[in-house]
Amino acid sequence: MDRVIAAAPQLAGIVPYDPKYLPAHAYLSANENPRDVDDAIRVQIEEEVRAVALNRYPDPLANDLRDLIAQANGLDRDWVLVGNGGDELLFDTALAWGGPGRTFLNMPPTFSVYAANARLTNTPIMDIPRIDGFAIDELRVLQALADPDNGITFTIVASPNNPTGLMVPTEFLERLLDATDALVMVDEAYFEFSRQTMRPQLERHKNLVILRTFSKAFSLAGVRIGYILAHPDVIREYLKVRQPYSVDAVSQAIARVVFRNRSAFEPRIQEIISERGRLADALRTLPGVVPHPSESNWVLFAVPDAPDAWQFLYDCGILVRDFSTAPGLEGTLRVTVGTPEQNDAFIAALRDFVLKPAVATSCTEGSESHA
Ligand SMILES: *Cc1c(COP(=O)(O)O)cnc(C)c1O
């Protein structure tokens, strides 16, 4: 056959996810941990992985890892589910709580994956855009949830919100959880940097799901492990939609070692928090540059001629994320907090761009280093 029947109609408007990863000297675009897992922990990982039976299917529920996570959170095993990155659990949320005739409440600008999953599952989306300073329009959100005609079945609130950076106030999330029986996922992908969690509210709200990941604070973006905390009845619905073997045995083994050693990650988390402050302070001193407050491992900032600034930084070997044409984020770039050296290089390059616009047509430092 020289043709193929059209794919499902909901795919028509969808563009495949593109992380816009390009070769660079300093990768400050994807909110990864700038430091890889250290050698002492890698030795333990090698031992743990050596013992994995590669010919056997993995434990579908990753129960050993599940128990470690449950124990750390003061919960029983059936309150925890491990996924192939937080992304799988986000997709499972749309599969289990979305679908035709059900509505997803979204609060853009936020993580673009939420709306993409709703589209894939034919779930209508109700957008309530954020207001000044990227705060949630609390009144409108509560009103929308209270109106049964809207048929809202789930919502996802990232806290801190990616890419804007601020936490959602706990008092608002509590009011949200009281106002509706819709599923409310609080995406805590960056909670190790914000130091705030909805865990204390979990037992009081059956409609609360907390999402976390090993990809950011625990340096495991390459391994794909995330998890949710939720009431066992909610977890049971996720079990029905998930791919049984989505979390492979090697990833389970690596994640167990990293989680057992999680206190060793504390100094680098502290470093990222303090470097975040230093980055924001430095950005504030540059004319025309406005950093947004962040409780995460990145800083979103407005800069004049943002697309040119992005290119200038890239020519210096520094890859940041360009949001300058994203709705609601016009004129902004997002820089992930790197190592102190990477952050210095970023600040120096952006200063060159901002202070010498007439001559700064290309980077003078480090332009060969990433070729
Ligand atoms: C990174 C991220 C996740 C999860 O990422 P995984 O690598 O799939 O675990 C979830 N939500 C937000 C907002 C993120 O930025």
Side-chain angles (χ1 to χ4, degrees):
M1 193 58 60
D2 64 354
R3 60 179 190 277
V4 61
I5 197 164
Q10 69 270 24
L11 303 193
I14 293 182
V15 181
Y17 183 78
D18 176 5
K20 306 212 163 64
Y21 231 62
L22 294 166
H25 192 61
Y27 292 100
L28 303 180
S29 71
N31 298 344
E32 297 148 330
N33 199 306
R35 298 186 193 278
D36 202 343
V37 175
D38 70 33
D39 287 343
I41 297 174
R42 287 180 93 101
V43 170
Q44 294 178 49
I45 286 175
E46 279 157 25
E47 263 169 49
E48 191 102 356
V49 168
R50 202 172 298 131
V52 171
L54 297 177
N55 62 323
R56 302 293 175 198
Y57 282 99
D59 173 356
L61 293 176
N63 278 320
D64 292 340
L65 176 59
R66 205 181 178 198
D67 286 344
L68 291 173
I69 294 167
Q71 197 186 12
N73 286 281
L75 294 165
D76 289 335
R77 167 194 283 188
D78 54 353
W79 287 73
V80 179
L81 180 63
V82 178
N84 185 279
D87 281 358
E88 183 196 17
L89 297 160
L90 288 171
F91 187 60
D92 289 348
T93 304
L95 278 177
W97 264 270
R102 304 165 67 87
T103 299
F104 167 57
L105 174 65
N106 200 26
M107 302 163 212
T110 188
F111 197 36
S112 62
V113 171
Y114 307 158
N117 288 337
R119 271 183 234 115
L120 281 177
T121 54
N122 287 310
T123 310
I125 301 172
M126 178 181 228
D127 274 331
I128 300 190
R130 286 163 190 263
I131 50 176
D132 302 340
F134 302 119
I136 287 174
D137 192 342
E138 299 187 359
L139 203 63
R140 274 192 70 199
V141 166
L142 291 171
Q143 280 168 353
L145 282 163
D147 184 348
D149 289 347
N150 289 329
I152 295 165
T153 53
F154 75 109
T155 185
I156 307 177
V157 194
S159 184
N161 185 48
N162 183 8
T164 57
L166 272 185
M167 295 290 303
V168 182
T170 304
E171 312 78 68
F172 168 68
L173 290 173
E174 284 179 330
R175 269 195 289 156
L176 193 67
L177 288 159
D178 281 331
T180 179
D181 61 358
L183 188 91
V184 177
M185 173 176 269
V186 179
D187 182 343
E188 295 187 352
Y190 301 93
F191 104 101
E192 292 89 353
F193 305 107
S194 70
R195 308 273 165 190
Q196 293 172 65
T197 173
M198 288 296 283
R199 166 65 191 88
Q201 282 76 16
L202 197 58
E203 284 95 338
R204 274 184 286 126
H205 297 284
K206 193 169 178 179
N207 55 338
L208 170 62
V209 177
I210 296 172
L211 177 71
R212 301 212 187 124
T213 178
F214 282 56
S215 296
K216 313 300 178 13
F218 296 133
S219 300
L220 285 191
V223 172
R224 315 306 305 132
I225 295 280
Y227 62 95
I228 53 172
L229 308 176
H231 189 281
D233 290 350
V234 173
I235 298 284
R236 258 185 67 75
E237 301 304 316
Y238 277 86
L239 296 182
K240 297 176 190 175
V241 298
R242 70 182 292 269
Q243 298 290 307
Y245 297 116
S246 61
V247 186
D248 68 86
V250 172
S251 297
Q252 291 184 28
I254 296 171
R256 286 195 301 271
V257 174
V258 164
F259 200 75
R260 287 199 296 260
N261 284 281
R262 64 191 177 283
S263 63
F265 289 79
E266 198 51 38
R268 60 175 67 179
I269 292 170
Q270 288 299 341
E271 180 185 68
I272 287 168
I273 292 170
S274 87
E275 283 291 298
R276 173 182 76 200
R278 196 170 72 85
L279 264 182
D281 289 346
L283 287 169
R284 250 189 300 277
T285 66
L286 300 180
V289 176
V290 182
H292 290 279
S294 170
E295 294 174 89
S296 192
N297 68 338
W298 72 80
V299 179
L300 183 79
F301 60 97
V303 55
D305 306 315
D308 293 344
W310 182 90
Q311 186 64 50
F312 186 86
L313 290 166
Y314 185 66
D315 291 342
C316 297
I318 299 164
L319 182 66
V320 300
R321 190 68 187 261
D322 184 3
F323 283 104
S324 61
T325 58
L329 297 167
E330 290 81 2
T332 65
L333 305 178
R334 185 191 68 194
V335 59
T336 302
V337 180
T339 62
E341 300 73 32
Q342 291 173 328
N343 300 332
D344 286 343
F346 161 77
I347 291 163
L350 191 68
R351 182 176 294 125
D352 282 350
F353 175 79
V354 173
L355 296 184
K356 294 178 272 171
V359 288
T361 48
S362 70
C363 186
T364 49
E365 300 147 81
S367 51
E368 287 96 293
S369 56
H370 69 283

